[in-house]
Amino acid sequence: MSSKNIIILGIESSCDETSAAVIKDNKLLANIIANQEVHKDFGGVVPELASREHQKNIVPVVHAAIKKADIKKEDISAVAYTQGPGLLGSLLVGGSFAKSFSMSLDIPLIEVNHMQAHVLAHFIEKEGETNDKPAFPFLCLTVSGGHTQIVLVKDYLNMEIVGETIDDAAGEAFDKVAKILQLPYPGGPLVDKLAKEGNPLAYHFPKPNVGELEFSFSGLKTSVLYFLRKEVEKNPQFVSENLNDICASVQFTIVSILMDKLEIAIKKFNVKTIAIAGGVSANSSLRQEIIKLANKTNCKAFIPPFEYCTDNAAMIAQVGCYKLLEDDYARLDSSPKARMKFSE
Ligand code: KG4
Ligand code: ZN
C-alpha cells in the first residue's frame, strides 16, 4: 500500500498522558496531549488515578485531535494504539477505545510498542517540514521514567535492545532523587532547571560497577540519601543552601553513566549515527553531552524536538504509518500488555 491519502489516528495512554494524534500522508496534523495533574502530591503516578483520568480524557482528546487536523472521522484509514509496555489499567483505556473506534468505522487496528515509538519519534514531520533524519543503522539511547535502553535500530520496524538497566530507569533516578529533595513529581524537569545554576562537580557520587552495556541507578538514589543524611546532621539547612549544586552533581552523574555506556556501544557496533529518545531526552545536559560524544566519536547526533520527547500519540501514529505499509494489523482479540518485547 502506498502512503497516499492515508490517515492514521494514534492513541497513547501507557502512563499518565492521554494523547491522540493524526498523521495524513506522513505529515503530522495534530498531536493533543492531556497531562494528569492528580499525581503531583503523591510523589509518583498512582495507577488507579491514572486509569480514571484516561477515561475522562480520552474522548475529548480524540475529538480535539480530529478537529485540529480538520478531517472527518470517516476519512481515517486505521487506528494505531499503544499496546504496551505500560500500566495495564491505563493501557486498557486507550486500547478499548481504539478497538471500539476501529470496529465502529470498520477500519484496521494497529498495535504499537511504546518504546519502539519513542525511537521512531525522530521520523515525525509536520506539514511543510523536511527534517534531517537518522540513517540506518543507528544507536538510540531511549531514556524514560520506566526504561533505559540502548537500541540498535536497523530499520523502522527492525530494532534490537543491546543494553538495558538492571534496576531503576534513568527518569526514575531523577524522580526518586527529586523526591528525597522534597521536589514535586515528576522531578526530572525540576532537577534539570535547578542544576542550571549549580556546580556539577560539587559532590561526587559513585558510578555503578555492572556489565559492559548494563545500567544501574538504584545505588545512586541510596548514595544520595546517605550523603544528605550525613550532611543534614552537621547542617540542617544543607539541602536548601546547596540545592542547585546537589541537583547539578546528581544530573552530572546520571548523564555521565549514560554517555559512558553509549560510547562503548558506538565502538562495539561501529555506527556513525546516534540518537536519544524518551522523556529524559528533554534533559538539557543530556542534549549537550550527546553532541559532544558525537563529535568525539565522529558520529552524527539526533535529538528529538521537546514535544516528542515525553509521551505523545504522534509517535504512536508514526509507527502506525510504517505498520500499515506492511499490512501489519492487529487481530480482534488484541489486548494491552504491561510488559512487551519489540518482536511481539
Ligand atoms: O517518556 P516519558 O514521558 O514517560 C515514560 O514512558 O516513562 O518519560 C517521563 C520521565 C520522567 O521520569 C521525567 O522525570 C523525565 O522523563 N524527564 C526528565 C526531563 N523531562 C522529563 N528528566 C530529566 N530532565 C528533564 N528535563
Ligand atoms: Zn514513554
Side-chain angles (χ1 to χ4, degrees):
M1 199 188 251
S2 92
S3 63
K4 209 83 212 104
N5 289 321
I6 286 180
I7 301 181
I8 308 277
L9 173 71
I11 307 280
E12 157 64 29
S13 72
S14 66
C15 192
D16 59 343
E17 265 99 24
T18 322
S19 180
V22 175
I23 290 186
K24 183 179 181 189
D25 298 340
N26 266 319
K27 298 286 181 187
L28 179 68
L29 301 184
N31 183 33
I32 306 292
I33 304 170
N35 300 109
Q36 302 184 355
E37 299 294 320
V38 287
H39 309 288
K40 271 213 159 72
D41 299 336
F42 296 93
V45 176
V46 185
E48 268 305 308
L49 293 180
S51 329
R52 266 187 257 162
E53 289 298 297
H54 284 304
Q55 281 175 334
K56 277 192 236 160
N57 293 338
I58 188 83
V59 172
V61 161
V62 172
H63 264 297
I66 291 175
K67 193 166 172 221
K68 169 110 195 285
D70 197 18
I71 55 154
K72 290 201 288 290
K73 68 176 187 311
E74 292 73 22
D75 298 333
I76 296 172
S77 322
V79 49
Y81 84 99
T82 304
Q83 188 187 20
L87 300 170
L88 198 57
S90 292
L91 291 165
L92 271 165
V93 179
S96 314
F97 180 90
K99 214 192 251 189
S100 334
F101 196 89
S102 89
M103 279 160 79
S104 66
L105 289 175
D106 197 20
I107 54 173
L109 179 69
I110 298 173
E111 295 161 339
V112 175
N113 180 308
H114 181 86
M115 299 314 293
Q116 193 163 27
H118 270 302
V119 175
L120 296 179
H122 283 278
F123 296 88
I124 299 170
E125 232 167 42
K126 285 184 187 152
E127 196 75 301
E129 270 180 7
T130 338
N131 305 334
D132 198 11
K133 301 179 193 72
F136 302 114
F138 67 92
L139 281 174
C140 186
L141 173 71
T142 316
V143 269
S144 69
H147 294 84
T148 298
Q149 303 175 334
I150 298 179
V151 183
L152 178 61
V153 190
K154 299 169 204 166
D155 206 339
Y156 297 111
L157 300 174
N158 181 4
M159 43 185 90
E160 184 191 340
I161 298 167
V162 295
E164 212 168 358
T165 180
I166 56 168
D167 44 52
D168 290 353
E172 213 174 343
F174 272 105
D175 297 340
K176 285 183 174 171
V177 169
K179 194 173 176 183
I180 296 172
L181 297 171
Q182 297 189 328
L183 300 171
Y185 177 85
L190 276 169
V191 172
D192 187 0
K193 196 170 159 205
L194 292 161
K196 288 201 171 90
E197 308 295 323
N199 173 8
L201 302 176
Y203 311 111
H204 173 79
F205 299 109
K207 289 185 187 173
N209 192 1
V210 285
E212 191 185 35
L213 289 180
E214 279 175 352
F215 298 97
S216 167
F217 290 104
S218 63
L220 176 66
K221 173 198 65 193
T222 317
S223 63
V224 172
L225 188 66
Y226 288 166
F227 166 76
L228 292 180
R229 256 189 214 159
K230 211 172 71 206
E231 293 300 326
V232 168
E233 252 174 45
K234 290 185 264 169
N235 169 15
Q237 307 307 322
F238 181 81
V239 173
S240 57
E241 283 172 10
N242 300 285
L243 193 56
N244 298 100
D245 285 349
I246 300 167
C247 289
S249 303
V250 169
Q251 176 170 283
F252 174 82
T253 312
I254 295 174
V255 173
S256 19
I257 292 171
L258 294 172
M259 292 299 97
D260 288 354
K261 299 293 174 155
L262 186 57
E263 186 170 357
I264 296 172
I266 292 169
K267 290 185 184 134
K268 187 164 179 173
F269 296 98
N270 196 21
V271 293
K272 289 280 155 246
T273 306
I274 53 176
I276 47 173
V280 182
S281 62
N283 183 266
S284 54
S285 166
L286 180 60
R287 293 168 89 88
Q288 284 163 9
E289 292 305 316
I290 191 159
I291 292 175
K292 286 192 204 155
L293 180 63
N295 291 337
K296 183 178 167 194
T297 54
N298 254 327
C299 284
K300 192 163 177 186
F302 285 82
I303 300 171
F306 284 111
E307 57 192 313
Y308 310 136
C309 288
T310 42
D311 291 347
N312 65 86
M315 65 184 193
I316 306 303
Q318 189 66 32
V319 181
C321 294
Y322 300 125
K323 286 200 151 187
L324 186 99
L325 292 177
E326 303 218 332
D327 292 327
D328 186 351
Y329 305 130
R331 291 167 20 143
L332 265 185
D333 60 0
S334 169
S335 59
K337 291 180 173 156
R339 290 169 177 273
M340 197 178 164
K341 296 204 172 84
F342 282 155
S343 52
E344 284 177 84

